[in-house]
Amino acid sequence: MSNIFDFKGRVAVITGCSTGLGVQMAKALAGQGCDIVAIARRQNLIDEVAADIEKTYGVKTLAVKCDITDTAAVEAAVDEILAKMGRIDILVNNAGTGAVAPAEDITDEQFNNEINIDLFGTFRLARSVAKKYMIPNKFGRIINIASMYGLVGNKVAPASPYHAAKGGVVNLTRALASEWGKYGITVNSICPGYFYSPLTKETLDSEFFQANARTMIPLERYGNEGELDTAICFLASPATTYVTGVNLPVDGGYTAM
């Protein structure tokens, strides 16, 4: 039987690939032979990530600075990637942010910023990559990183703009899957639960949150580094041809209750 997770010769673009989950997913794909394009706003960080992945896994890498809230920058980034790498087989829309405050205190600026980055940023990249490469080539794997908070509400960490944006990503995933299936493009999302990242560490380490995790999560713990690897490789695999429009929770069972 052939290796259904052989990504040799494939190119994956990962946004928000300067720290945290983006880097972990990039390494998971690189470990299966995939060439990697790291996108984020901080050039020094993505340069380090790309160099480390290339050295560790022996794959080709590229670091591209891009602000996903800027349409012109997104278009230029995609053009650069295609000029230097020649193809984009996989797009992982991981870049995001999170405003935590009671809904009644959320400002217009906070809400707009959340939607612009998490939802519109995801759409900008998907639109550009699909139009310029995946649709003409009749193949693509788009994986949007939503959140379990895109599927449910919560009482512990009020974050209404985040819920709204990630809920939008969940249904955007279904919409794009429906439109682009005829082009051989699958569009799915991963809905992570509580994983450590620079964005979440302070909240997750709080005594209040630690105590609540034991009652809210059936597995009674946060996600560990590497526990998204199987999900990203499954959805990105060229062999995963009949799975599209799916929003896959990787949350220790949080959304099961």
Side-chain angles (χ1 to χ4, degrees):
M1 182 178 178
S2 61
N3 180 3
I4 60 175
F5 296 115
D6 182 2
F7 290 90
K8 290 183 178 64
R10 305 280 177 175
V11 173
V13 174
I14 299 101
T15 69
C17 195
S18 55
T19 59
L21 298 183
V23 176
Q24 290 177 34
M25 290 185 288
K27 289 180 177 179
L29 293 170
Q32 304 301 314
C34 193
D35 296 331
I36 299 296
V37 180
I39 287 183
R41 291 178 297 175
R42 292 172 287 183
Q43 187 73 54
N44 62 314
L45 293 183
I46 53 175
D47 283 342
E48 291 173 7
V49 167
D52 177 56
I53 289 175
E54 186 169 338
K55 179 181 179 181
T56 303
Y57 300 99
V59 298
K60 185 177 179 182
T61 63
L62 178 66
V64 178
K65 180 180 179 180
C66 179
D67 179 354
I68 66 168
T69 67
D70 183 336
T71 298
V74 167
E75 296 298 322
V78 172
D79 288 342
E80 180 183 350
I81 293 163
L82 291 174
K84 293 180 178 178
M85 303 293 275
R87 60 192 299 154
I88 300 173
D89 302 286
I90 302 157
L91 171 63
V92 181
N93 281 308
N94 169 68
T97 186
V100 177
E104 63 272 23
D105 296 327
I106 289 288
T107 66
D108 288 2
E109 182 182 19
Q110 285 175 307
F111 200 96
N112 286 332
N113 186 58
E114 199 88 33
I115 297 297
N116 199 18
I117 295 173
D118 289 10
L119 179 55
F120 199 0
T122 292
F123 179 73
R124 285 186 184 94
L125 261 297
R127 174 180 61 188
S128 184
V129 169
K131 188 170 186 175
K132 292 183 177 182
Y133 188 81
M134 291 182 175
I135 289 175
N137 287 277
K138 300 295 189 290
F139 177 84
R141 297 286 179 266
I142 298 176
I143 300 107
N144 300 322
I145 307 305
S147 169
M148 66 181 187
Y149 279 180
L151 302 171
V152 296
N154 95 93
K155 294 174 64 177
V156 181
S160 54
Y162 185 77
H163 283 270
K166 292 301 189 178
V169 171
V170 164
N171 217 33
L172 176 65
T173 296
R174 297 187 184 108
L176 297 182
S178 300
E179 284 196 45
W180 292 344
K182 62 186 176 183
Y183 301 117
I185 301 169
T186 64
V187 187
N188 295 288
S189 88
I190 298 174
C191 300
Y194 297 126
F195 282 81
Y196 278 111
S197 74
L199 198 66
T200 64
K201 189 177 188 311
E202 183 178 352
T203 300
L204 296 186
D205 279 342
S206 69
E207 185 177 339
F208 173 73
F209 226 83
Q210 292 273 357
N212 272 275
R214 288 190 286 274
T215 59
M216 296 186 299
I217 306 170
L219 292 185
E220 298 186 354
R221 62 175 177 84
Y222 302 143
N224 294 318
E225 183 173 343
E227 289 190 310
L228 284 177
D229 292 4
T230 49
I232 195 71
C233 289
F234 165 61
L235 294 176
S237 171
T240 305
T241 54
Y242 207 57
V243 177
T244 195
V246 165
N247 296 289
L248 174 63
V250 183
D251 63 1
Y254 184 102
T255 53
M257 296 198 307

